[in-house]
Amino acid sequence: MQSGRSVSRLEKNTTALNRKSRESYLILLASNDKEASQKLAMLLTDDGHTVWKTDNGAQLLETFDWQQPDIVIVDTDMPIIGANDATKLIKRLAGDSFIPVILMVPDADREAKVRYLEISGDDFINKSCIICNYQLVVAKIQALMRISKLYRKLEQQKDMLKNHQQMIFSEQQTARQLFEKFLHSPLLDSSGIRYLQSSMGIFNGDLLLAAHKPAGGLRVMVGDMTGHGLSAAVGSVPASEIFYSMTAKGYSISDILVEINQKLRRLLPTGNFCAASIIDFECGRQQVSVWNGGMPDVVLFDSCRQKIKEKIGSGALPLGVVDGDALNTSVVYVDIMPGDYIYLCSDGVTEARNPQGDMYGAQRLMDSIQRQGRKANAFDAIRRDFESFTDNEQISDDITLLEITCSRALIDHDDTADLQTHEKGKRPTAWSVELRLDADALRETDPRPLLTQLVMDLQDLQTHRDRLFTILAELFSNALEHGVLELDSALKNNHSGFIEYYEQRKQRLASLESGWIRISLEHIPVDCKGELHITVEDSGRGFDFQRHQAALSENTTHSGRGIALVRSLCQDLTFQGQGNSVRAIYAWGNCDPPH
Amino acid sequence: MSITSRISEDGREITIYIKGRFDFNSHQEFREHYESINHPGAKYIIDMSGAEYMDSSALGMLLLLREQAGEDKANIDIVQCRPEIRQILEIAHFHQLFKIH
């Protein structure tokens, strides 16, 4: 027979092909044409593939559902469920996987080929090809399988990426928690401070720090690192570390600014910096000192007269831009009343946009504070104004908005409550230290934190730290301001005088040529307790302390507060010499067992 | 956002024109412009007449320019600032570092 001869020739060819094709596939074949499908099945099986035959659409789908083949060959002439519908259903069952479908079409029907490819099939073969051009069939199968494999590879990569993304996300969440633990001060959650903070991404490039100073009074810092995200947040770690440790040791705002500036200058690449505003509440004096470098105005709201009383604008470069000497670290002093409120924010607030693209702006914020400041829940109202303007528009920067209630911030934080009467650990030992500072040193050095730390290191009196610092601070200030600089403390009795006083202090210190202060610390053990003898002498003329003795102890004005306070903390306070020397005795300890 | 520039005949002065939003997207382009001149003591004129907005990364870019131009010896003029731009530069206290007109 003619066909028999062609088959045998074909058989030789397929054997050759068989050697070439390494892959073997699971092929699902659906056809009503018994002769055609049998021939095709035989050829494919000889080639090493596994062929499952079905003769109608329904059976095709059932088989497909049972086990997905690598490739499907569908005869367009098929009962029960037509080829088109069947193919569509197969594609749906395959879901995300790509399972090629080849349609067997009768030779004559040209439109059919176009139609089937358009609708659902991936390729087609003429029925006659099965016999006369089997190689084409094989080639098509190979081509489609290559595509299928590529598809599978893409799916795998997609899964890998997804897992990777999950991993990074959970790493970032952990890092974020670390940051928060590090940066977030519990003081922020105490009454007296209301705030709104939101970050653009997982990490916040805005800083919000708060601490109590050892001598009493709150210190708050709001910072804004350039940019946002992790690279911005990283700089906040050293900055906050410096803020907290130096505040605890009693350093001033200016000292802290110099340190943070230097650190960021060294650490951050050029172009990155930290805008910041810092506020210090001085308790006892109804005053704040403010530093603003690159931030929006710090606003003081007078709740008595129900209006904005003062705005402190940026007066210096942000931190990390220039070297130490070029940075202006001087602060502005502002008088406050207990009923006042202070508002700070980062530029994420003033530069936030609404859906129409308008910026909130400093003026709108001022208006909002002006309008809402008098209300009982002012902060919530101000926040609502802001949120209704931005109207859920996607935030494009980190946002910080803060309200401080002055009456709360001015309260001396109570350190007597947790004062332990029994000192654990170090026995009292005998030691002494003398420090002498001449004019140059007085200009450059602040010995108070240094000396306090020294006492802590030598005698471990941590629970007494604040009080010791206060004593040293007051005695030193006295010696410097009245003894060496010869400032008149009477100036401090009124508001404008206060500013004048500090101006004079700055000037006289800057131009100081001669003078000295000597501080001696002597520690004397007494049984299991101790006494710290602090002597401060200065090169000044002194004063008639005997005459002023009574006045001093009763004096509750600004200038007298210091000495009266020291007296209340010490066992003894005596002026000596010509009044240019003072000795304080601080007794600590308790020999009773702990309770 | 678009940035164009013009270098003087003698190659010692460049005027960079900023148009639109000057923000973190402008980084690459801005740098290419100011790096196209490499004369010690060169004068840089940053023309902000077309600039609508500046963010902190733009401030950072100016600092990078200043670094290239010799830090304290830099000769940089920032001119034709709209009120919004001027305000941003003032809050950042940049008049301490740049000549602003």
Side-chain angles (χ1 to χ4, degrees):
Chain A
M1 259 192 328
Q2 279 245 317
S3 52
R5 254 180 279 148
S6 6
V7 168
S8 60
R9 213 183 306 142
L10 201 57
E11 273 176 350
K12 267 191 249 161
N13 289 338
T14 60
T15 331
L17 266 168
N18 204 2
R19 274 186 239 121
K20 277 189 205 161
S21 60
R22 291 176 221 110
E23 307 267 6
S24 68
Y25 305 119
L26 175 58
I27 302 175
L28 186 49
L29 175 58
S31 176
N32 206 15
D33 183 338
K34 283 205 168 34
E35 202 190 319
S37 70
Q38 216 163 355
K39 285 205 173 89
L40 183 55
M42 193 179 70
L43 288 165
L44 289 171
T45 316
D46 282 349
D47 241 353
H49 304 295
T50 311
V51 182
W52 289 348
K53 287 206 309 242
T54 61
D55 57 15
N56 67 66
Q59 209 181 44
L60 168 64
L61 287 167
E62 253 180 60
T63 318
F64 187 89
D65 206 19
W66 182 59
Q67 171 144 9
Q68 281 188 359
D70 294 315
I71 198 161
V72 180
I73 303 178
V74 180
D75 193 334
T76 54
D77 168 29
M78 227 182 19
I80 306 183
I81 300 180
N84 249 335
D85 293 329
T87 310
K88 277 192 222 161
L89 284 165
I90 284 174
K91 288 291 179 180
R92 205 180 303 171
L93 282 170
D96 274 338
S97 323
F98 173 63
I99 306 210
V101 175
I102 302 180
L103 290 153
M104 285 198 297
V105 293
D107 299 10
D109 199 345
R110 271 199 189 150
E111 286 88 32
K113 292 170 194 171
V114 174
R115 217 168 42 236
Y116 286 116
L117 278 180
E118 267 179 350
I119 296 170
S120 48
D122 299 305
D123 206 342
F124 66 88
I125 45 178
N126 292 327
K127 269 212 193 147
S128 58
C129 277
I130 296 172
I131 311 301
C132 64
N133 198 359
Y134 177 68
Q135 280 155 302
L136 181 61
V137 178
V138 171
K140 287 194 185 223
I141 290 177
Q142 301 286 26
L144 285 168
M145 285 314 295
R146 272 200 301 275
I147 296 177
S148 174
K149 269 187 231 156
L150 185 66
Y151 203 88
R152 221 171 301 165
K153 195 167 161 188
L154 276 172
E155 284 293 301
Q156 275 173 0
Q157 286 177 341
K158 191 177 86 175
D159 285 334
M160 250 171 65
L161 268 173
K162 214 165 155 190
N163 287 337
H164 192 69
Q165 201 181 41
Q166 283 288 76
M167 208 172 71
I168 291 186
F169 185 73
S170 60
E171 263 180 36
Q172 286 188 337
Q173 291 290 62
T174 311
R176 181 203 165 109
Q177 279 169 19
L178 268 162
F179 267 95
E180 275 180 14
K181 217 173 173 179
F182 206 85
L183 298 175
H184 187 89
S185 165
L187 281 176
L188 290 169
D189 301 317
S190 64
S191 42
I193 298 183
R194 299 288 313 276
Y195 68 99
L196 162 67
Q197 251 207 322
S198 69
S199 62
M200 189 179 156
I202 293 184
F203 297 103
N204 199 339
D206 275 4
L207 273 166
L208 180 49
L209 313 174
H212 275 303
K213 291 171 289 169
L218 182 69
R219 178 178 290 162
V220 174
M221 173 169 165
V222 178
D224 183 354
M225 311 271 333
T226 340
H228 36 68
L230 184 56
S231 54
V234 162
S236 62
V237 174
S240 67
E241 171 76 342
I242 292 171
F243 177 87
Y244 285 122
S245 64
M246 286 181 79
T247 298
K249 290 192 182 141
Y251 284 97
S252 66
I253 289 183
S254 302
D255 295 327
I256 291 177
L257 288 168
V258 167
E259 281 303 311
I260 296 180
N261 182 62
Q262 194 183 27
K263 188 88 180 195
L264 293 181
R265 180 100 173 106
R266 236 180 25 230
L267 194 79
L268 299 176
T270 308
N272 287 67
F273 50 83
C274 178
S277 39
I278 305 188
I279 299 201
D280 248 18
F281 286 82
E282 306 284 336
C283 30
R285 294 180 200 136
Q286 292 189 348
Q287 225 186 37
V288 288
S289 41
V290 183
W291 184 87
N292 182 341
M295 295 284 273
D297 292 350
V298 175
V299 177
L300 177 61
F301 185 85
D302 182 339
S303 70
C304 264
R305 276 171 287 161
Q306 303 202 332
K307 63 192 190 93
I308 292 176
K309 181 158 64 175
E310 191 104 31
K311 287 188 270 190
I312 300 106
S314 165
L317 283 165
L319 300 169
V321 177
V322 288
D323 291 324
D325 307 324
L327 179 70
N328 178 15
T329 59
S330 52
V331 297
V332 173
Y333 293 95
V334 184
D335 290 324
I336 54 173
M337 300 297 287
D340 293 347
Y341 294 89
I342 296 189
Y343 294 91
L344 301 98
C345 71
S346 66
D347 68 7
V349 174
T350 48
E351 298 191 1
R353 288 179 193 267
N354 65 7
Q356 289 75 44
D358 307 313
M359 240 170 49
Y360 194 53
Q363 190 53 54
R364 246 186 279 259
L365 179 62
M366 291 298 127
D367 293 341
S368 171
I369 295 174
Q370 186 82 290
R371 206 173 41 239
Q372 315 285 21
R374 71 196 68 179
K375 299 186 182 160
N377 55 348
F379 185 75
D380 291 323
I382 293 167
R383 178 190 181 145
R384 261 198 307 273
D385 280 347
F386 176 68
E387 283 169 354
S388 65
F389 176 85
T390 54
D391 195 14
N392 281 320
E393 179 73 357
Q394 199 174 33
I395 58 168
S396 58
D397 196 1
D398 304 317
I399 287 173
T400 305
L401 178 63
L402 186 73
E403 175 196 82
I404 305 175
T405 307
C406 291
S407 54
R408 304 305 299 255
L410 285 170
I411 295 174
D412 255 320
H413 89 112
D414 190 359
D415 63 339
T416 58
D418 49 14
L419 186 67
Q420 290 164 261
T421 51
H422 181 85
E423 295 294 342
K424 300 178 265 204
K426 280 199 176 178
R427 298 176 314 118
T429 55
W431 50 266
S432 72
V433 146
E434 187 181 284
L435 180 69
R436 190 193 130 114
L437 299 166
D438 69 359
D440 287 335
L442 285 172
R443 223 190 342 267
E444 320 242 328
T445 316
D446 179 358
R448 304 168 300 167
L450 195 75
L451 288 168
T452 315
Q453 191 56 38
L454 193 79
V455 175
M456 294 304 124
D457 287 343
L458 286 169
Q459 195 55 59
D460 191 21
L461 295 171
Q462 282 296 342
T463 50
H464 300 269
R465 183 191 207 119
D466 292 356
R467 293 151 151 236
L468 282 172
F469 182 85
T470 304
I471 295 168
L472 280 164
E474 288 296 343
L475 295 180
F476 178 77
S477 288
N478 225 43
L480 179 64
E481 292 174 15
H482 304 311
V484 177
L485 299 178
E486 295 182 332
L487 293 162
D488 182 3
S489 59
L491 255 182
K492 288 196 277 185
N493 285 340
N494 69 68
H495 297 191
S496 56
F498 214 91
I499 297 181
E500 168 71 26
Y501 182 88
Y502 277 93
E503 262 309 305
Q504 273 187 26
R505 185 191 191 282
K506 199 164 86 174
Q507 279 165 19
R508 292 192 190 183
L509 185 60
S511 55
L512 186 67
E513 303 216 338
S514 66
W516 52 262
I517 296 181
R518 182 160 48 217
I519 307 169
S520 319
L521 301 174
E522 193 186 343
H523 189 257
I524 300 168
V526 178
D527 297 327
C528 51
K529 301 178 284 191
E531 274 180 11
L532 183 64
H533 292 221
I534 304 167
T535 310
V536 181
E537 282 172 76
D538 64 71
S539 56
R541 279 174 297 165
F543 68 107
D544 190 347
F545 58 89
Q546 263 130 357
R547 197 151 59 93
H548 289 250
Q549 205 77 307
L552 268 175
S553 55
E554 283 157 30
N555 206 328
T556 52
T557 60
H558 293 321
S559 50
R561 177 186 178 266
I563 295 302
L565 176 63
V566 174
R567 206 182 281 284
S568 71
L569 294 171
C570 295
Q571 189 180 52
D572 187 70
L573 181 72
T574 332
F575 282 90
Q576 298 164 322
Q578 292 148 307
N580 61 336
S581 170
V582 63
R583 190 197 62 177
I585 300 180
Y586 183 84
W588 62 273
N590 190 318
C591 284
D592 300 332
H595 43 264
Chain B
M1 186 272 303
S2 80
I3 303 182
T4 53
S5 62
R6 201 183 58 210
I7 301 181
S8 66
E9 290 263 310
D10 58 6
R12 289 168 194 255
E13 185 180 298
I14 180 171
T15 308
I16 304 177
Y17 300 87
I18 314 273
K19 232 171 142 185
R21 290 174 65 99
F22 191 17
D23 62 14
F24 56 87
N25 290 317
S26 329
H27 187 96
Q28 182 80 331
E29 232 187 297
F30 186 65
R31 206 172 85 183
E32 277 166 23
H33 282 275
Y34 72 70
E35 280 183 351
S36 66
I37 191 174
N38 197 356
H39 193 285
K43 184 175 164 86
Y44 300 81
I45 300 171
I46 315 293
D47 186 313
M48 302 285 250
S49 49
E52 291 162 3
Y53 168 78
M54 236 180 106
D55 72 356
S56 58
S57 15
L59 293 171
M61 281 180 253
L62 289 173
L63 291 174
L64 280 163
L65 165 59
R66 189 170 179 270
E67 190 182 46
Q68 175 182 293
E71 295 275 2
D72 287 333
K73 297 193 209 73
N75 188 358
I76 305 172
D77 282 30
I78 304 179
V79 302
Q80 307 264 51
C81 300
R82 293 190 196 176
E84 312 87 71
I85 300 289
R86 186 183 298 278
Q87 191 182 51
I88 291 170
L89 289 167
E90 267 170 19
I91 292 179
H93 224 250
F94 266 28
H95 46 273
Q96 191 180 327
L97 302 173
F98 301 90
K99 282 172 267 170
I100 301 177
H101 305 287

